[in-house]
Amino acid sequence: MFIQTESTPNPATLKFLPGQTVLDAGTADFPSAETAGKSPLAQRIFAVQGVTGVFFGNDFVTVTKDDGVEWDHVKPAILGAVMEHFQSGEPVIDSGEQAASGHAEHSGEDSEVVDQIKDLLDSRVRPAVAQDGGDITFHGFERGVVYLHMQGACAGCPSSTLTLKMGIENLLRHYIPEVTEVRPVAV
């Protein structure tokens, strides 16, 4: 098994590509070791000292490290954990657990606008963010403000505010006049 790695815009996060499907659908975010209970793969990765976050996409795993740890010290152990997991035949996430679909539900008078926002996020934004090892989820729309949550490599990335404000906000405002602002939410 050959696992490729790619850097991300977040210097504390690396993207690992195992060359096979990680999740069939959705994403899974494990911002701490305490949240990894449902995932044998996330548990293996968190067993590596210095790992502070794990995120799964369709064909990648992003791992975030502690600031005081160098990639040269943790990368080989993470590669070993990922390889060991895929060779074990264990599931990435225990059966019965679901990966996140990506967006909060929204109903009401502005549900048509929300559908447009979600469509643009799915078609234009999420693929680009996934290339950087992360995901973005819709959390609400109220009085012209879109609330989004950055995950994976994008969470805590130095350029995430710029991505939200200059990239996503401008895109949404261009196509959907009802959108006036984009704000991050912490989950």
Side-chain angles (χ1 to χ4, degrees):
M1 175 178 213
F2 179 72
I3 302 169
Q4 292 181 298
T5 59
E6 292 179 2
S7 59
T8 70
N10 184 347
T13 304
L14 269 181
K15 184 176 177 182
F16 294 81
L17 298 138
Q20 61 190 72
T21 300
V22 176
L23 288 179
D24 290 325
T27 60
D29 190 25
F30 304 97
S32 68
E34 292 75 33
T35 61
K38 65 181 183 176
S39 171
L41 176 55
Q43 289 174 13
R44 275 193 170 105
I45 296 170
F46 274 114
V48 176
Q49 191 166 359
V51 171
T52 60
V54 176
F55 180 82
F56 302 148
N58 174 261
D59 63 348
F60 66 88
V61 174
T62 55
V63 178
T64 304
K65 67 169 183 64
D66 192 354
D67 288 337
V69 177
E70 295 298 322
W71 278 116
D72 291 344
H73 297 110
V74 294
K75 184 178 167 183
I78 295 168
L79 286 165
V82 172
M83 186 175 298
E84 180 181 296
H85 175 80
F86 282 104
Q87 290 175 342
S88 76
E90 285 185 79
V92 171
I93 296 179
D94 288 332
S95 60
E97 297 290 339
Q98 292 274 147
S101 65
H103 299 302
E105 293 302 315
H106 185 92
S107 59
E109 61 189 50
D110 51 4
S111 62
E112 191 174 304
V113 171
V114 169
D115 287 343
Q116 290 177 315
I117 292 167
K118 288 179 180 180
D119 286 345
L120 273 174
L121 290 174
D122 287 342
S123 65
R124 299 273 183 109
V125 178
R126 290 180 92 189
V129 173
Q131 282 192 320
D132 286 341
D135 196 14
I136 188 161
T137 56
F138 173 84
H139 277 267
F141 176 71
E142 188 177 324
R143 295 189 190 117
V145 180
V146 177
Y147 295 93
L148 302 173
H149 176 62
M150 305 287 272
Q151 297 177 310
C154 300
C157 177
S159 61
S160 66
T161 303
L162 190 63
T163 299
L164 275 176
K165 287 294 182 186
M166 300 307 292
I168 299 167
E169 183 176 288
N170 287 344
L171 176 82
L172 293 177
R173 288 173 61 188
H174 175 77
Y175 287 103
I176 306 168
E178 293 87 349
V179 173
T180 59
E181 184 182 0
V182 171
R183 291 185 192 161
V185 295
V187 177

